[in-house]
Amino acid sequence: MCIGVVPTSAFLKSKSDAGYHRTDVLNEFSRQDQPPIHHDGEDILQLEHTDPVLNAKMHLVNDAIDEIGFTTYQWKLFVLNGFGYAVDSLILLIQSIIAGQAALEFNPSYPKGMTMAAYSGMLIGALFWGMGADVIGRKFAFNVSLMVCSIFAILAGTSPNWYVLGLFIALSSFGAGGNLVLDTTVFLEYLPSKDQWLLTLMAAWWGIGQLVAGLFAWAFIPNFSCIDPSIDPAAAPCAYSNNKGWRYIWYASGSLVFVMSILRITVIRLNETPKYLLGRGADTEVVETLQGIATRYGRSCSLTLEKLSACGVTAIQSGSRFALSGLTVHLRGLFATPRIALSTSLIWFSWTLIGLAYPLYSVFLPSYLASRGASFGETSSYITWRNYALSNMCSIFGPILAGYLCSLKLLGRKYTMVIGALVTMTFFFAYTQVRNNAQNLGFNCAISFWLNVYYGTLYAYTPEVLPSAHRGTGNGIAVGFNRVMGILSAVIATVADTNTPVPIYICAALYIVMAAVAAVFPFEPYGRRSS
């Protein structure tokens, strides 16, 4: 007999309750006239009635994960999944850092081509790995994506011309692009409910990737790069022999990612996530996975195959998962009810907005920093890239604060995003009044910090409120919209002057809209468990 949760009163019917059968549980799940009730153990989407059988089974799996609790297995996932966060930001920033020096060597007709290559690769990667995660599972992408990224990142350093460089950057970005989709999904689907705030904290790895990119730039660009002839007409022409700094950055980055990919395979042998298996109807594997973790770490787990089987067969199991209809099932699932449809639409809109705001500020920040430094009398490449590294370091601590704020009942995820967006907007507007180098560095550090309070929380919120069976697809499309706007930002940078404060004003206005959208999200994950 299935032991499930009843939305109206949250009581559990045990197997000993006479006359209470599976059909009674499903009838309780299908009732539409009950208001949401907040209580411990409530699953976020349990009132949406998309699949009563899956809802009942999901509740049992969540109970089992909570019963096992937080173990060393989750700590390993926190680090190894965090690598994916770091790699995504690392590759994205590396291409913007090296583009200027590579352009001096190759003299391209379209200088912003590397940005378009990176975002195009990440767009395809997000859709491919995201949808693939719902079709073939999370495990394959988790093990393969970083390896693909590392190989082409190393090859990018060998590029003989601008076009080959763009190809390798696109292919490296393809591997990196699926990590934001998969890492949050995999980590969330093993997390006990009381520890779901760690999903926000994990975004600190994004800042670590930014810091590494800044440190590589600081180490290699000033010491192994040619001088821009427009700055010093007497400088020697830029060629392979005197402009290896940007190549060294790719070699170092690719090697680091390669080590990360090896650690993913050797440190933890990832099992397919229980909630993915649940959607596939693999109840036996669900029980084996969770019982295996419990046994390995000396924890109890009362979940049995009999309890899951008594709930019945989930609707999503029907049909071939490799057919086109398999993908349409996942797309329809993201709009299964009015509230889920509103939630999905607002999440995608938020990712679209941040997809324009973040590149305008971050990807084109080097040129803006250089112009501001020059106006303050600062022309040292060493100081410019040092400041870049310092501002990126500040981004590590934003998600740490966000993780704490998310754990407060008064704020939760939604209002943490509101605070992060509004404070970021304030610093953007104030930034245009900077008058010296110290202020320039200080405001950049503040923006990097508060921007990642919002961004880190959005990263975590997205998979938390998406239905588990369709989580990879929904997350992948969200990140895909983000990448489309990144491509658009490259076009904007081509026709606009990014050395002016105009992108700063645009970013500030976008964050006002983001704050408003966050405030009206229909679901608040605080105190609830992902479905």
Side-chain angles (χ1 to χ4, degrees), residues 395-469:
S395 64
I396 298 174
F397 304 101
I400 296 176
L401 176 62
Y404 170 73
L405 296 178
C406 284
S407 67
L408 301 178
K409 184 176 182 179
L410 182 64
L411 297 177
R413 275 60 157 174
K414 290 168 55 174
Y415 291 103
T416 296
M417 282 187 277
V418 171
I419 291 173
L422 291 180
V423 176
T424 302
M425 174 270 297
T426 302
F427 277 107
F428 269 129
F429 278 127
Y431 187 56
T432 58
Q433 301 304 310
V434 166
R435 293 294 181 265
N436 58 57
N437 278 315
Q439 293 174 355
N440 189 33
L441 177 59
F443 271 82
N444 271 289
C445 287
I447 290 172
S448 292
F449 177 90
W450 285 102
L451 183 154
N452 280 279
V453 170
Y454 172 85
Y455 215 165
T457 309
L458 180 64
Y459 278 131
Y461 179 88
T462 300
E464 277 190 295
V465 300
L466 290 172
S468 176

Side-chain angles (χ1 to χ4, degrees), residues 103-328:
L104 291 176
E105 183 176 334
F106 296 135
N107 298 309
S109 58
Y110 195 76
K112 299 301 180 184
M114 294 306 100
T115 299
M116 298 192 71
Y119 274 97
S120 296
M122 288 195 168
L123 167 62
I124 298 172
L127 296 175
F128 176 84
W129 299 111
M131 293 181 178
D134 285 340
V135 175
I136 62 175
R138 286 53 159 147
K139 181 179 178 179
F140 177 79
F142 182 84
N143 290 333
V144 172
S145 57
L146 282 191
M147 184 68 71
V148 172
C149 175
S150 66
I151 292 172
F152 289 108
I154 293 173
L155 289 175
T158 68
S159 302
N161 57 58
W162 189 253
Y163 303 103
V164 174
L165 175 60
L167 174 63
F168 285 147
I169 287 178
L171 291 172
S172 179
S173 299
F174 169 76
N179 280 280
L180 287 185
V181 180
L182 267 300
D183 293 328
T184 53
T185 297
V186 170
F187 189 48
L188 174 64
E189 295 188 359
Y190 277 107
L191 268 181
S193 57
K194 66 181 180 62
D195 300 307
Q196 282 182 196
W197 65 273
L198 285 172
L199 201 62
T200 301
L201 179 62
M202 196 170 73
W205 284 94
W206 172 271
I208 292 174
Q210 289 182 307
L211 174 61
V212 171
L215 291 176
F216 282 163
W218 188 14
F220 294 119
I221 295 295
N223 299 314
F224 302 98
S225 299
C226 62
I227 300 174
D228 188 345
S230 66
I231 297 177
D232 183 2
C238 289
Y240 175 85
S241 59
N242 66 347
N243 194 35
K244 295 182 180 180
W246 69 268
R247 297 179 185 273
Y248 292 156
I249 290 177
W250 277 119
Y251 294 147
S253 300
S255 299
L256 178 61
V257 177
F258 181 77
V259 172
M260 291 179 176
S261 67
I262 296 299
L263 290 176
R264 275 194 169 187
I265 299 172
T266 56
V267 172
I268 188 170
R269 294 185 178 181
L270 182 73
N271 296 317
E272 193 55 81
T273 65
K275 293 183 179 180
Y276 168 79
L277 293 172
L278 201 63
R280 295 266 64 88
D283 292 357
T284 302
E285 294 178 57
V286 172
V287 175
E288 288 176 351
T289 297
L290 292 176
Q291 290 288 358
I293 294 174
T295 301
R296 190 183 318 163
Y297 297 102
R299 304 296 177 87
S300 63
C301 179
S302 58
L303 182 67
T304 64
L305 180 60
E306 290 73 20
K307 290 181 180 179
L308 289 179
S309 299
C311 295
V313 178
T314 58
I316 199 172
Q317 289 174 233
S318 60
S320 172
R321 57 178 170 149
F322 296 102
L324 181 61
S325 59
L327 291 177
T328 59

Side-chain angles (χ1 to χ4, degrees), residues 26-88:
L26 302 189
N27 287 337
E28 290 286 1
F29 269 102
S30 65
R31 292 178 61 183
Q32 300 282 343
D33 58 346
Q34 300 298 330
I37 298 175
H38 299 269
H39 53 76
D40 292 339
E42 180 178 297
D43 301 336
I44 294 172
L45 302 181
Q46 70 181 37
L47 299 179
E48 296 308 304
H49 319 292
T50 55
D51 184 343
V53 171
L54 183 60
N55 284 350
K57 289 186 176 183
M58 190 68 66
H59 190 81
L60 293 175
V61 168
N62 279 334
D63 284 345
I65 293 174
D66 284 346
E67 183 182 0
I68 295 170
F70 199 87
T71 69
T72 305
Y73 188 80
Q74 280 85 358
W75 275 123
K76 291 178 180 179
L77 285 176
F78 179 81
V79 175
L80 298 177
N81 287 33
F83 287 168
Y85 266 85
V87 167
D88 186 279

Side-chain angles (χ1 to χ4, degrees), residues 474-508:
N475 214 356
I477 294 175
V479 177
F481 278 120
N482 180 278
R483 304 317 189 192
V484 168
M485 298 310 290
I487 296 172
L488 180 60
S489 70
V491 177
I492 294 174
T494 302
V495 300
D497 185 0
T498 56
N499 296 331
T500 72
V502 173
I504 303 298
Y505 287 124
I506 295 175
C507 288

